[in-house]
Amino acid sequence: MTATQETRLRYLYSPSGEANHPHEEVLSVYRDHGVIPKSSRSDNFNKTPDNIERYLLVRPGDLVVNRMKAWQGSLGVSDHRGIVSGDYEVLRPASDSVSGRYMHYALRSRHMVGEYRVRSTGIRPSQWRLYWDQMGDIRVSLPPLEKQERIAAYLDAETSQIDTLITEQQRLVEMLRERRISVLRSAISGVACGGSIGGSDDWFGSLPEGWGAAPIRRHFSVNLGKMLNANKDEVEGAEAPYLAAGSIQPETLLLDEPKTMTFSSPELEHYSLRSGDVVVVEGGAGYGRSHYLRQDLPGWGFQNHVARLRSSTGLVDGLFATYCLKACLASGHIEANNRTATIPSLSRDVLGAIRIPVPPASDQRQIAKYLEEQTARIDTLIAESERLVELSQERRAALITAAVTGQIDV
């Protein structure tokens, strides 16, 4: 082969189907990392089953495709020997005219991932599958072997530098998030005034002299929102927007595209949302998230997976209480008190029983102001680092696509 050709994948690879061998290392396929040992990642929570008879052997140079996530780019040429789930496609090189490293880049490039999307079958993305019969028809640009190896070497060098930058920024984001948690816990525990995060049975630790502690229900009424209407036509009242659990994000409130349900006039008064209220996610993936309302939301209600805290004594500032809840969530105390076996939740009783520090009112305001300033600074740094990671990943993808499609001369 002396010039770049368009070649169907079926002429370059063929299904292996080689059964697993005893005591082989289990491999996983990642969109960002390709084929790597499963044990090398701490974020892989899919347990390997006891029965691995259907697992397939992977040899170095094999192309491994996660059929369910190929449309996201979850495939790669393996540098490792090991075994993968029988739900994956293991493809062995059928031609000596391909470089494994080049194919690893070429098959994970943007335009190829677009081909996988088009050829995947299923009703919705979560059910899409890419099978070899469809994948094998895809054409790939294949220059001479020597040029493939030059392109792969170029991309190895360039992407290595980008990956180092991405790793450094991700590490910085992790450190900033840890710093944010530390600032929260130290401030609401009164460390600067003689308090301590340890030395007490309470999750917040020991408190300075003159500070108290109390369960949330002592200073706030705790109410869950209205159950979503099963049949709106059978409910009397008027349609009104409601605050959903998904609207309460870690550091913001999403109100742009509200859903509605029917509230009677007394219900809308009962489920009202006012400046100074604290809203907390009661159930689901984001349970425990909280947000302080700085203004009234006239005409709004809230659903049953949201809890509203409204001051009943005036002795605890709502913003200070919100920072207490954020620190409580970050400390793991809320998760430790989740007694639900299936869908995680924070019941009204558990939420009301959470103990929080109660400093003098002037200290509460000072702490809340300090935390607003400090967390805003940290959040800005986190956003900048995450944006740099995003731009670097886009640059990496664009570079790979340009190199394997001949848009740049390597």
Side-chain angles (χ1 to χ4, degrees):
M1 186 181 297
T2 59
T4 300
Q5 297 183 4
E6 292 285 325
T7 308
R8 294 187 190 277
L9 280 176
R10 68 173 70 258
Y11 301 127
L12 302 177
Y13 289 91
S14 59
S16 163
E18 184 176 358
N20 77 78
H21 294 188
H23 313 301
E24 294 285 354
E25 184 170 34
V26 178
L27 306 176
S28 286
V29 184
Y30 287 82
R31 179 185 60 188
D32 296 329
H33 308 288
V35 186
I36 58 175
K38 184 176 181 179
S39 60
S40 68
R41 300 289 299 180
S42 60
D43 57 354
N44 192 327
F45 304 109
N46 294 324
K47 184 180 178 182
T48 302
D50 295 331
N51 185 351
I52 58 173
E53 290 182 3
R54 292 185 60 247
Y55 272 48
L56 301 173
L57 182 69
V58 176
R59 297 180 181 273
D62 286 353
L63 171 61
V64 186
V65 182
N66 182 338
R67 294 191 187 104
M68 299 182 343
K69 295 183 179 179
W71 61 276
Q72 297 177 331
S74 187
L75 73 162
V77 174
S78 180
D79 291 328
H80 307 276
R81 178 188 170 100
I83 56 175
V84 294
S85 167
D87 292 328
Y88 289 9
E89 191 83 67
V90 178
L91 302 161
R92 194 143 292 164
S95 168
D96 57 6
S97 63
V98 295
S99 159
R101 288 302 297 162
Y102 171 82
M103 295 302 291
H104 179 78
Y105 287 118
L107 296 176
R108 289 157 55 84
S109 60
R110 282 176 171 171
H111 69 290
M112 292 299 289
V113 173
E115 294 282 354
Y116 309 147
R117 285 174 177 265
V118 170
R119 287 169 168 78
S120 294
T121 57
I123 298 174
R124 56 181 65 91
S126 62
Q127 297 177 343
W128 284 357
R129 300 288 187 277
L130 178 65
Y131 295 100
W132 179 238
D133 287 346
Q134 288 73 41
M135 185 178 179
D137 281 334
I138 299 174
R139 293 179 179 272
V140 62
S141 178
L142 199 66
L145 182 60
E146 181 184 354
K147 187 171 183 180
Q148 292 178 44
E149 292 172 346
R150 285 204 308 270
I151 293 172
Y154 168 80
L155 288 174
D156 281 345
E158 294 295 318
T159 59
S160 176
Q161 294 180 36
I162 297 173
D163 290 343
T164 298
L165 174 61
I166 290 173
T167 299
E168 289 173 350
Q169 291 302 312
Q170 288 174 332
R171 188 179 298 120
L172 175 59
V173 168
E174 185 178 341
M175 291 171 60
L176 287 168
R177 286 183 174 145
E178 290 174 356
R179 170 63 179 161
R180 195 181 196 282
I181 292 171
S182 176
V183 168
L184 276 171
R185 295 194 65 189
S186 296
I188 65 99
S189 298
V191 170
C193 304
S196 147
I197 291 178
S200 168
D201 291 337
D202 282 312
W203 64 269
F204 44 77
S206 59
L207 299 173
E209 186 176 350
W211 287 31
I216 284 174
R217 61 172 171 258
R218 184 176 299 175
H219 294 285
F220 293 87
S221 61
V222 183
N223 293 101
L224 294 179
K226 183 181 177 182
M227 184 78 72
L228 294 179
N229 302 141
N231 189 339
K232 295 182 179 181
D233 295 335
E234 297 178 359
V235 181
E236 294 184 2
E239 287 290 300
Y242 66 87
L243 189 68
S247 303
I248 304 172
Q249 293 300 303
E251 303 307 327
T252 190
L253 205 60
L254 303 179
L255 303 175
D256 292 342
E257 298 180 359
K259 298 178 181 179
T260 64
M261 66 174 159
T262 306
F263 291 91
S264 65
S265 294
E267 284 178 333
L268 209 52
E269 174 61 28
H270 178 72
Y271 295 113
S272 63
L273 294 168
R274 302 173 189 163
S275 174
D277 288 347
V278 182
V279 286
V280 187
V281 179
E282 178 269 345
Y287 79 106
R289 289 178 182 169
S290 56
H291 191 84
Y292 175 72
L293 298 185
R294 298 178 183 275
Q295 59 186 17
D296 294 345
L297 291 179
W300 282 65
F302 58 103
Q303 70 160 131
N304 59 305
H305 288 307
V306 174
R308 182 196 64 200
L309 308 185
R310 179 168 288 170
S311 177
S312 56
T313 65
L315 298 178
V316 179
D317 179 75
L319 183 56
F320 176 79
T322 303
Y323 281 121
C324 287
L325 285 171
K326 290 181 184 297
C328 184
L329 179 65
S331 73
H333 181 75
I334 288 179
E335 183 179 2
N337 282 272
N338 170 39
R339 302 188 180 93
T340 307
T342 52
I343 300 175
S345 65
L346 179 63
S347 72
R348 178 174 176 269
D349 290 340
V350 171
L351 176 58
I354 292 176
R355 287 171 56 81
I356 61 173
V358 183
S362 60
D363 288 348
Q364 293 179 39
R365 290 190 291 271
Q366 288 178 6
I367 290 170
K369 181 180 179 182
Y370 167 79
L371 286 175
E372 277 190 294
E373 295 171 352
Q374 293 298 312
T375 57
R377 276 195 203 125
I378 295 172
D379 290 343
T380 298
L381 291 172
I382 290 174
E384 289 173 352
S385 294
E386 289 180 332
R387 178 57 179 158
L388 182 54
V389 168
E390 183 181 338
L391 290 172
S392 299
Q393 290 171 334
E394 290 176 0
R395 164 65 179 157
R396 189 184 194 279
L399 181 68
I400 291 171
T401 298
V404 300
T405 56
Q407 297 174 43
I408 55 175
D409 184 359
V410 303

